[in-house]
Amino acid sequence: MRFSVKYQSWTKNWAVVDNGIAQQVVGVHNSKAEAYKQAFAEQARWREFDPVAVEMSRSRACNGHGLPVSLVVR
């Protein structure tokens, strides 16, 4: 997953970190649940625009098994 949640003990809060951009903090929360909620939302938003993720979703749609039809051996 590109986004992760880390506890910052010196400030006693939860940070949402973007691992794809040099560990950039994209959100700070008081509760772990809110931090995970943001991390999953950021991940879902990011996957909509990632060309690799879009191509993988197209290939899964080809035959329902996660492989393009040209790679399926029957």
Side-chain angles (χ1 to χ4, degrees):
M1 212 165 123
R2 178 173 172 150
F3 295 91
S4 61
V5 174
K6 296 182 181 179
Y7 183 70
Q8 299 175 330
S9 59
W10 65 92
T11 57
K12 295 185 169 113
N13 57 25
W14 297 87
V16 179
V17 178
D18 184 351
N19 296 314
I21 305 177
Q23 304 290 319
Q24 180 181 3
V25 175
V26 295
V28 177
H29 300 275
N30 290 327
S31 73
K32 185 177 180 180
E34 286 297 317
Y36 272 100
K37 184 177 177 181
Q38 181 190 356
F40 279 104
E42 294 285 346
Q43 182 71 24
R45 184 181 58 81
W46 176 76
R47 287 185 61 111
E48 289 180 22
F49 302 107
D50 177 31
V52 174
V54 169
E55 184 61 32
M56 290 299 291
S57 66
R58 281 190 203 135
S59 68
R60 277 190 294 253
C62 291
N63 66 359
H65 298 297
L67 296 173
V69 174
S70 63
L71 297 178
V72 175
V73 179
R74 294 176 192 227

